[in-house]
Amino acid sequence: MTGILSADGSKRLVLVSGRAHPELAAAVAQEMGTELLPTSAYDFANGEIYVRFGESVRGADVFVLQSHTSPINQWIMEQMIMVDALKRASAKTITVIAPFYGYARQDKKHKGREPISARLIADMYEVAGADRLMSVDLHTAQLQGFFNGPVDHLWAMPLLTDYVKSRVEDLSNVTVVSPDAGRIKVAEKWAAKLGGHPLAFVHKTRDINQPNQAVANRVVGDVAGRTCVLVDDLIDTGGTIAEAVRVCMESGAKEVIVAATHGVLSDPAAQRLQESGASEVVVTDTLPITEDKRFEKLTVLSIAPLIARAIEEVFADGSVTSLFEGNS
Ligand code: R5P
């Protein structure tokens, strides 16, 4: 039977994956020394999704990995259907792993008559039968409260900061830059992790009636002559980051390295980022980075080891927090 048995043989861990990001699922399975549960999934002519697992999951602790990439609604729905199938097949526990939590940006109402879509997604997983959620770098930490059960909030920061440390020759000349005032707390953690560096932030404005359009007005903080490490949770169309790079360079930065967890990279992000003036753009593979999204200055780090370790901790009733030295 596919999966991993606990030391005393009383529990069975099973990893299943949707069709959105098979490379990540395979990498996580390999890290854990297991195989993915054989699964059939296909679409009917009208777009409905069919899923069936090839082996029993009765009594198993099942982890359902799906990357919320484009077409995002299809992949979220597929994950819901997988959870439903697992519940009806008597899985003991079902953990939804959404390395990038779709709709996380819609976590509040800016105006009347808007939805709170991030909450709706959490409710839908609960109704489908999920016992637990696991995600990496949620857009805002309070999203954890949207799901009425345990949420394991993983941080890609140690992975990204280790890479940046290996890449920057003179760490004493680093300024950590937040692309907007709202993410200054995250930038503070980055600065501490890189060795207590000064902070700066970009004063960004956005017209809430125009999605995907951001304007950076100026950078607040000391960036002249310094290596700027510009950090964000996600890069979608690249507008926010390209604008932030622009104002840093205009303010005399020596170079700008961009680090973000989720490379959504919707068109025209690749071109914008390549031409932005950043010396390097670093993301993880929580989302698939297809060939058309890749560009010369892009570096992609694997998130699979982190997800694999977190699954193992959950299965063993260990500590996910211990993976992050108390930052989780
Ligand atoms: C904003 O709050 C987010 O952290 C990102 O900065 C933003 O969503 C990225 O979008 P885009 O790349 O399209 O500017």
Side-chain angles (χ1 to χ4, degrees), residues 73-85:
N73 298 321
Q74 180 180 356
W75 298 138
I76 289 175
M77 190 65 199
E78 182 175 271
Q79 197 174 25
M80 301 274 175
I81 288 171
M82 294 175 89
V83 171
D84 184 76

Side-chain angles (χ1 to χ4, degrees), residues 162-201:
D162 282 353
Y163 178 80
V164 169
K165 277 183 189 163
S166 72
R167 161 76 177 68
V168 176
E169 272 174 29
D170 181 7
L171 270 176
S172 68
N173 195 39
V174 163
T175 294
V176 178
V177 183
S178 168
D180 56 46
R183 304 203 72 74
I184 204 89
K185 283 268 166 224
V186 175
E188 256 174 21
K189 290 198 168 108
W190 264 79
K193 191 90 184 154
L194 287 176
H197 294 291
L199 286 181
F201 74 94

